[in-house]
Amino acid sequence: MIELEGVPELIDPVMVAAFEGWNDAGDAASTAVAHLDKEWKGEVFAALDAEDYYDFQVNRPTVWLDGGVRKITWPTTRLSVVRVGGDKPRDLVLVRGIEPSMRWRSFCNELLGFAHELGVELVVIMGALLGDTPHTRPVPVSGVTSDPDLARTMDLEETKYEGPTGIVGILQEACTHAGVPAVSLWAAVPHYVSQPPNPKATLALLNRLEDLIDLRIPLGELTEDARAWQLGVDQLAAEDSEVAEYVQSLEEARDTAELPEASGEAIAREFERYLRRRDGGGGPGPVAGTGQVGGPGQPGGHATDGGDGAAYLRDTPSERTRPPKPQPRPEPSADAKGDPAESSQESGTGESAKSTGSGGGAADGEENDGRGDEPDGAKEDDSSSEDSSED
C-alpha cells in the first residue's frame, strides 16, 4: 500500500525520472535530475524498498559517520517533489535511483502507483547513450514516445526500436499500457570521452526538458562546467594527432548529415526556441520559484552557445586523463535487426566504448558500459547508422 502522507495536492504534476547504470552514459541523465532536485530544493517523500529490487553485491550499500555514529545508506530509488512558482506554478515529481537488479515489472508498477496517486499528467524519462558524435558540436537530444498521438502533438519521434532494453524502455512501455503519457529524452555522449561527468550532455537534456514542458530551469554553474569540459577535451585531443584526426572526421560526418536541416523551417524553429529562452529586456531575470537570477535566457545559458571558454577552465592538468586512441569500428552486419546502435554492441562498438571508460554511473565498482537503450534516430545527425537510439 502506498502512503503519501505530508504530500500536498499537486498542480499539473509532471514526473521526471532518471536511473544510474546502463541508460546513463557520462552520468548525464541522473545528474540532470539531481540538478533539478538541488536547484528547487526537493523534499523526499518516498523511497522504494531496496531489498525488493537490488542485488547488494552489484550495488553495494555505503557506510558513513554522522556525529560519530555509523550509518548505512542503501542503494534505492527515491521520489521527491518540487514546486515551481511564477505566473503558472506547477509541480515536478523527481524520480532518481539506480537501475534495479530484479523485479522490473513490480518496480514499474510501484512507480506508476505513485504517479496515479499524485495525479501525474506526463512522465518524462531521461537517458544518455554512447555514440559517434563529436564533442565539439551541439549534443544531439532525441525525444521519443510509443504513443503516436503524443508523437504528433509534441513533435516527437515514434519509436520503432527492437532489441535489448533497459529500465527506461520498460518504464516507458509500462506507462503506455497504463494509459499514462510518457516521453523519453536521450542525449548522445561521445564514446571516446565517456567518463563521467558530462555537464554538456546534462545541460542539453535540461534544455530539451524546458522546451518539452514549457518551464524555465535555473542552470546554476552548469553552463560554466559545460564550457570547461569542452575546453578540457579540446586540449586533450590536441595532444594526440590520431584522436584529433578522428574528431575531425566525426565533425565532417556530422556537418554533412546536418546540411539538409539548414532549411527555413529548421531556422524558424531554432529562432522560436531562442525567443522562448530570452527574458524580456534581454538580461537574466529571476527564475520561477527561486528568486535567483539565471536560466536559459542568460548569455551562454544553452549548452550549444558559443563564446570564449578559457575563463571557465577549472580542471588542472593533473586531474585530467588522456583520452584513449579510438579503436577501429567494424561495419554493422547487414541483417542487424532494429536499432543498429544496439546491434553494434555485438559488432565491436561496445568494445570501443569500454576502452574509454564506463559511461554508466554504476555504484561501488559495478562495471557498466553506458550503452543504454537507444532511441530511434538519436544519431540522425551522424553519418554512421550505429548512432540510432531507442526509447
Side-chain angles (χ1 to χ4, degrees):
M1 182 176 180
I2 298 175
E3 298 290 341
L4 298 175
E5 296 180 1
V7 179
E9 183 176 352
L10 303 185
I11 303 172
D12 301 328
V14 173
M15 179 177 281
V16 181
F19 303 94
E20 300 174 17
W22 204 56
N23 304 139
D24 193 25
D27 291 355
S30 59
T31 302
V33 174
H35 177 84
L36 296 174
D37 191 74
K38 177 183 177 182
E39 291 294 325
W40 279 318
K41 298 177 174 57
E43 296 184 6
V44 176
F45 65 87
L48 305 189
D49 190 336
E51 293 212 2
D52 288 343
Y53 304 113
Y54 294 98
D55 179 348
F56 299 140
Q57 290 183 323
V58 176
N59 298 289
R60 294 186 179 273
T62 57
V63 179
W64 56 287
L65 294 176
D66 181 14
V69 179
R70 291 172 66 85
K71 294 187 177 181
I72 296 178
T73 299
W74 297 92
T76 186
T77 294
R78 294 178 173 82
L79 290 84
S80 59
V81 62
V82 298
R83 172 153 294 177
V84 184
D87 296 335
K88 296 181 179 180
R90 78 180 313 169
D91 295 301
L92 298 182
V93 179
L94 305 179
V95 180
R96 182 185 173 210
I98 305 170
E99 182 177 65
S101 306
M102 61 194 80
R103 301 185 184 92
W104 285 16
R105 286 177 291 187
S106 298
F107 180 87
C108 292
N109 287 336
E110 193 163 353
L111 290 180
L112 285 172
F114 281 107
H116 176 73
E117 292 293 325
L118 294 169
V120 167
E121 300 177 347
L122 175 69
V123 175
V124 181
I125 316 165
M126 294 194 284
L129 53 96
L130 298 178
D132 289 332
T133 182
H135 71 278
T136 54
R137 296 294 185 264
V139 175
V141 177
S142 298
V144 297
T145 180
S146 299
D147 187 336
D149 294 330
L150 198 63
R152 183 171 55 256
T153 57
M154 301 189 75
D155 192 24
L156 301 168
E157 183 178 353
E158 184 180 355
T159 180
K160 294 180 174 61
Y161 170 77
E162 296 177 277
T165 189
I167 193 60
V168 170
I170 298 299
L171 180 56
Q172 178 163 334
E173 288 308 303
C175 291
T176 300
H177 289 297
V180 179
V183 174
S184 293
L185 299 180
W186 290 91
V189 172
H191 72 86
Y192 57 89
V193 58
S194 61
Q195 298 90 340
N198 189 317
K200 186 173 180 178
T202 295
L203 191 54
L205 280 170
L206 292 175
N207 285 331
R208 184 62 187 271
L209 180 65
E210 279 187 324
D211 295 338
L212 186 70
I213 62 177
D214 193 22
L215 185 67
R216 187 176 179 184
I217 298 173
L219 298 180
E221 297 181 351
L222 267 178
T223 302
E224 298 179 4
D225 291 343
R227 289 178 176 175
W229 177 86
Q230 178 164 327
L231 185 56
V233 178
D234 284 343
Q235 293 176 343
L236 292 172
E239 296 172 4
D240 191 309
S241 59
E242 290 187 26
V243 173
E245 184 178 348
Y246 179 66
V247 171
Q248 184 178 3
S249 69
L250 291 179
E251 292 173 340
E252 293 172 353
R254 173 76 176 271
D255 295 343
T256 301
E258 287 186 338
L259 284 176
E261 293 298 321
S263 62
E265 182 179 349
I267 294 173
R269 187 165 55 246
E270 277 302 313
F271 185 65
E272 290 174 0
R273 182 173 297 150
Y274 163 75
L275 291 178
R276 284 199 302 272
R277 295 185 189 283
R278 287 186 57 189
D279 184 64
V287 175
T290 66
Q292 302 174 4
V293 173
Q298 193 171 350
H302 194 283
T304 59
D305 283 348
D308 181 10
Y312 300 102
L313 182 59
R314 296 181 175 180
D315 53 352
T316 62
S318 61
E319 294 174 334
R320 298 198 299 266
T321 57
R322 187 182 184 88
K325 298 180 180 180
Q327 302 297 318
R329 302 172 66 82
E331 295 295 327
S333 58
D335 59 347
K337 182 180 181 182
D339 189 342
E342 289 289 354
S343 302
S344 67
Q345 296 178 22
E346 305 298 330
S347 63
T349 300
E351 294 303 318
S352 173
K354 285 181 182 178
S355 70
T356 63
S358 170
D364 300 300
E366 178 188 6
E367 204 168 309
N368 191 297
D369 56 14
R371 297 166 300 178
D373 312 329
E374 305 176 1
D376 298 321
K379 287 300 184 314
E380 60 188 1
D381 354 43
D382 228 319
S383 63
S384 171
S385 63
E386 294 176 4
D387 299 320
S388 299
S389 40
E390 94 50 43
D391 47 349

